[in-house]
Amino acid sequence: MSKILTGWVGGCVWYLERRAVQESPHKFMHLLKNVNKQWITFQHFNFLRRMYATQLSRSLNQQVKPKPEPMTSSFLEKTSSCQAKTEIYEMRSLSPPSLSLSRKPNEKELIELDSPAIIEGSIETGKETENEKQWKEMKLHLDDLPGILARLSKIKLTALVVSTTSAGFALAPGPFDLPCFLLTFVGTGLASCAANSINQFFEVPFDSNMNRTKNRPLVRGQISPLLAVSFATCCAVPGVALLTWGVNPLTGALGAFNIFLYTCCYTPLKRISIANTWVGAVVGAIPPVMGWTAATGSLDAGAFLLGGILYSWQFPHFNALSWGLREDYSRGGYCMMSVTHPALCRRVALRHCLALIGLSTAAPLLDVTTWTFPIISLPINLYISYLGFRFYTEADRKSSRRLFFCSLWHLPLLLLLMLTCKQPQGRKSNKGEPQA
Amino acid sequence: MAALRLRNKPLYPLLCRALSGCGPQLAPERGAERRDAAPSRVSRFGPPGTSCHDWIGPPDKYSNLRPVHFYIPEDESPSERKLRELRQETQEWNQRFWAKQNRTFHQEKEAFIHTRLTAKGLGLSAESGRKATLNAEEMADFYKEFLSKNFKKHMRYNRDWYRRNFAITFFMGKVALERMWRRLRRKQDITRA
């Protein structure tokens, strides 16, 4: 167990050294907080940081103002000049057949605005060239493939998932089996990559319309949907096979079930009902359970406890995050509590912060940890509950962001504390596991 | 474009190209004039004539979707044409939906803000000369209303999008397999000859 701890801490430090330019670590807790911020929600963090920086100087308000490029008024001017350029250009190249056949409303307007637009055409040349430069050939370069696949599989999120699985494995009773651990690690990682790839495959037009997700590989056309699906299959099949035959069938079944739950239930449900958040919380809870079942081969109370902790954690984490994305969710057609049931959103977040205290207390009762754990985890659990309460009462962007950022360091720290307080082997065990 | 000749190609890059959904690399001796299926909304861009791949552009201002210029190969098979037309049509359909969605959203949002400000008696400009605003909590009513009002529309879009996405991917797979089969047969013919 101490080896795992050292390994994880070592991993954190190594990761931090890579990010040394961007971070200013001084204390260990600060290290952990920053590493996990980077790991878990790098994109969220940057997006929110930018938003925070621009909006800090003024209150967060929606403005009625003429947009720099209003949808209606200058719409005709811009597209008319574009049409002029296109007409000139099209004479040189082969004209695409589809252009004349399409019947979009904006093109009807364009036809009427030919003549003045040609004069404007030359003014637009600079913009045109810039626009042309942004066109990219959809040719797959093998050098880029690892980076593209890493983004497709949401590698940072996968890393978090795998670390919760590792925590589940480490917290399970019984001697630590390194080969089994490695197989679980790799199998879960592959399963997570597969699930994330399919999720992105389903969500291309929605991702294009949200700031947080608009630079994903499929959105940018860096790979084709076929390749994304092939990659997902090439991860899912070996991943689940590895878990089923390399570890045990229970873990394999959980892995396959989780992939199904995430891709076929959670992803479509996001646009149908707010129940998606609860399903998503289960998806997040299963990996540590898988770690536990990999080590013990059975679904014990301890597995459910760990799953319960991850399940409860999802709510303050996600509900707080979604509070600042309400406009994007609404426009994109996502059914999220923060949009449709804001009071419920905050209530659920608070409720589950408090549940974390309860679950931490249940840990020694189920022989997962010693009694030290609920005591030393009380400060951080109380703190997140306090922030959850602030979010519940204040219901503003500031409190949601504070709760969200707290959740980022709260979870790894909680798991770390659990590991340090793990019930030593050889002591009382009511699970009937064979002890060394 | 000797480099694009099939005969001397190793299989692996071909596989990548096939999987990435690009047209075959066949080109006549003198270099092909590129045939294109441009996005049907106005596009100022034309890919270079020597390219045999699709080209993808910057996000559209209204729909935030990236338009694609589809490459039409000389020896396009019926299934390849079907795939290309499906992709083209889906692109146009997506473009229409999202441009309209975003436009409607912004229009309704501004109307909502205007109504609320008027109801509050504030008008568009506050006394200090700054623009009058609504805070995020007041806007939440609008977001909720927009979402529930358009729920059925979103459901229909989802269903259609999933269907199209699956169809396109399925046809891509079919086309990729067909291409590989054709090349293998061609190689067999060459070695036999």
Side-chain angles (χ1 to χ4, degrees):
Chain A
M1 181 200 56
S2 58
K3 278 182 192 165
I4 298 161
L5 210 58
T6 322
W8 196 18
V9 168
C12 289
V13 172
W14 166 79
Y15 191 88
L16 190 65
E17 279 166 18
R18 280 177 54 200
R19 296 243 170 239
V21 179
Q22 298 171 22
E23 301 292 342
S24 55
H26 295 296
K27 300 175 190 175
F28 176 67
M29 303 305 268
H30 194 59
L31 281 180
L32 210 58
K33 172 162 56 167
N34 283 319
V35 163
N36 280 292
K37 266 184 201 169
Q38 296 288 340
W39 262 6
I40 295 162
T41 53
F42 185 70
Q43 285 170 333
H44 301 179
F45 184 65
N46 279 331
F47 168 62
L48 289 169
R49 197 164 56 182
R50 277 197 299 275
M51 297 290 285
Y52 186 78
T54 54
Q55 289 171 350
L56 196 56
S57 55
R58 55 185 170 85
S59 54
L60 300 174
N61 293 317
Q62 301 291 336
Q63 295 191 359
V64 178
K65 60 177 184 211
K67 290 191 187 318
E69 294 179 337
M71 301 296 289
T72 47
S73 52
S74 72
F75 185 93
L76 299 175
E77 291 160 20
K78 285 207 183 303
T79 46
S80 64
S81 60
C82 302
Q83 171 71 343
K85 289 294 286 181
T86 314
E87 281 171 2
I88 296 163
Y89 197 91
E90 286 298 334
M91 283 159 59
R92 286 200 295 267
S93 61
L94 297 163
S95 64
S98 52
L99 208 82
S100 50
L101 295 174
S102 100
R103 294 182 60 253
K104 297 234 278 304
N106 54 348
E107 293 199 340
K108 281 189 192 152
E109 288 154 359
L110 293 171
I111 292 160
E112 292 151 18
L113 292 163
D114 282 28
S115 41
I118 293 172
I119 302 162
E120 291 179 342
S122 55
I123 303 165
E124 296 288 327
T125 314
K127 286 187 193 164
E128 296 290 327
T129 325
E130 201 186 295
N131 176 275
E132 282 173 23
K133 279 187 199 152
Q134 292 175 32
W135 282 76
K136 298 234 163 23
E137 196 176 13
M138 287 173 83
K139 188 175 171 183
L140 186 63
H141 298 280
L142 288 179
D143 298 340
D144 299 332
L145 195 59
I148 291 170
L149 292 179
R151 283 198 301 279
L152 182 70
S153 56
K154 298 190 208 172
I155 199 77
K156 288 167 185 153
L157 178 62
T158 299
L160 173 66
V161 164
V162 165
S163 62
T164 59
T165 307
S166 311
F169 192 95
L171 278 164
F176 181 78
D177 182 0
L178 184 65
C180 182
F181 172 74
L182 291 173
L183 288 170
T184 313
F185 189 95
V186 173
T188 312
L190 288 172
S192 172
C193 288
N196 289 329
S197 305
I198 297 288
N199 169 266
Q200 290 197 21
F201 164 72
F202 283 153
E203 305 245 285
V204 177
F206 314 118
D207 284 346
S208 311
N209 274 281
M210 291 181 63
N211 274 320
R212 190 170 67 90
T213 52
K214 64 187 179 184
N215 287 316
R216 288 183 170 172
L218 282 168
V219 172
R220 290 169 71 180
Q222 289 173 322
I223 58 168
S224 73
L226 179 65
L227 193 56
V229 170
S230 308
F231 172 71
T233 315
C234 291
C235 286
V237 170
V240 173
L242 206 60
L243 291 172
T244 311
W245 285 291
V247 182
N248 59 53
L250 178 60
T251 312
L254 283 172
F257 176 66
N258 213 20
I259 294 175
F260 166 76
L261 203 61
Y262 186 61
T263 57
C264 302
C265 298
Y266 170 70
T267 303
L269 215 51
K270 275 163 78 172
R271 300 177 56 78
I272 298 175
S273 151
I274 58 171
N276 69 76
T277 311
W278 282 267
V279 172
V282 174
V283 171
I286 287 179
V289 174
M290 283 168 67
W292 186 285
T293 60
T296 63
S298 61
L299 275 171
D300 312 315
F304 285 112
L305 174 81
L306 265 181
I309 288 177
L310 261 292
Y311 177 82
S312 285
W313 176 83
Q314 306 287 335
F315 291 98
H317 174 75
F318 181 73
N319 287 4
L321 171 68
S322 68
W323 199 255
L325 300 173
R326 283 181 286 183
E327 177 169 356
D328 278 354
Y329 283 143
S330 171
R331 187 166 50 85
Y334 282 109
C335 294
M336 298 297 174
M337 269 193 278
S338 58
V339 181
T340 58
H341 298 80
L344 177 70
C345 177
R346 298 185 328 266
R347 212 161 50 231
V348 165
L350 176 61
R351 198 190 295 163
H352 284 276
C353 288
L354 297 170
L356 285 170
I357 301 177
L359 287 165
S360 301
T361 316
L365 292 170
L366 295 172
D367 269 343
V368 180
T369 65
T370 58
W371 278 101
T372 321
F373 173 65
I375 298 164
I376 58 171
S377 65
L378 197 61
I380 59 170
N381 285 337
L382 281 177
Y383 183 63
I384 198 174
S385 302
Y386 164 69
L387 291 180
F389 182 71
R390 290 282 296 270
F391 176 50
Y392 177 70
T393 49
E394 289 169 23
D396 62 1
R397 203 180 178 104
K398 185 166 165 232
S399 55
S400 73
R401 284 164 44 80
R402 287 180 72 188
L403 178 60
F404 171 70
F405 284 119
C406 175
S407 74
L408 294 181
W409 59 257
H410 174 272
L411 178 68
L413 193 53
L414 192 71
L415 292 175
L416 196 60
L417 292 173
M418 274 187 98
L419 280 169
T420 57
C421 299
K422 181 182 171 183
Q423 187 71 266
Q425 294 170 39
R427 293 272 181 91
K428 57 178 169 131
S429 164
N430 57 2
K431 292 186 211 60
E433 294 295 332
Q435 296 292 333
Chain B
M1 300 300 290
L4 297 175
R5 284 308 205 87
L6 276 178
R7 293 176 188 191
N8 302 319
K9 281 242 171 297
L11 189 57
Y12 185 55
L14 281 181
L15 200 70
C16 278
R17 268 192 290 275
L19 286 178
S20 65
C22 295
Q25 307 313 299
L26 200 60
E29 285 286 351
R30 286 179 194 75
E33 255 192 354
R34 191 192 154 94
R35 289 162 56 208
D36 272 306
S40 68
R41 70 169 291 282
V42 172
S43 161
R44 287 88 73 192
F45 175 77
T50 53
S51 164
C52 298
H53 291 92
D54 301 337
W55 283 68
I56 190 165
D60 181 74
K61 219 162 34 185
Y62 306 107
S63 68
N64 297 314
L65 302 174
R66 289 174 183 256
V68 175
H69 262 276
F70 296 102
Y71 168 65
I72 307 176
E74 296 268 327
D75 62 342
E76 190 181 46
S77 68
S79 46
E80 283 171 358
R81 200 188 76 239
K82 194 172 168 192
L83 171 66
R84 179 179 52 80
E85 285 169 356
L86 179 60
R87 289 175 76 192
Q88 178 82 46
E89 207 257 312
T90 301
Q91 183 173 272
E92 289 163 24
W93 170 78
N94 257 329
Q95 170 69 20
R96 277 197 303 272
F97 177 84
W98 285 103
K100 186 169 172 217
Q101 173 88 346
N102 293 336
R103 193 167 49 229
T104 313
F105 183 83
H106 285 111
Q107 283 171 351
E108 290 187 11
K109 180 174 151 187
E110 301 218 346
F112 175 84
I113 293 172
H114 187 84
T115 318
R116 279 289 172 100
L117 285 174
T118 320
K120 279 161 90 173
L122 285 174
L124 291 182
S125 264
E127 282 173 358
S128 60
R130 292 179 64 194
K131 293 282 182 283
T133 56
L134 283 182
N135 66 29
E137 302 321 310
E138 288 164 312
M139 289 310 301
D141 290 338
F142 166 70
Y143 299 141
K144 180 173 175 176
E145 188 195 318
F146 185 85
L147 198 59
S148 42
K149 204 167 62 165
N150 291 288
F151 184 73
K152 285 218 172 69
K153 187 170 78 158
H154 293 155
M155 285 301 104
R156 269 198 308 271
Y157 174 79
N158 291 347
R159 195 194 53 217
D160 292 343
W161 160 247
Y162 271 66
R163 241 189 258 155
R164 283 172 186 269
N165 199 22
F166 278 126
I168 288 173
T169 311
F170 173 75
F171 283 123
M172 272 185 172
K174 196 164 156 224
V175 161
L177 286 173
E178 273 177 17
R179 279 189 206 144
M180 277 187 348
W181 178 245
R182 264 192 296 172
R183 282 180 193 138
L184 280 171
R185 272 221 320 260
R186 230 177 256 137
K187 277 201 173 172
Q188 278 177 2
D189 293 342
I190 291 162
T191 50
R192 225 180 279 135

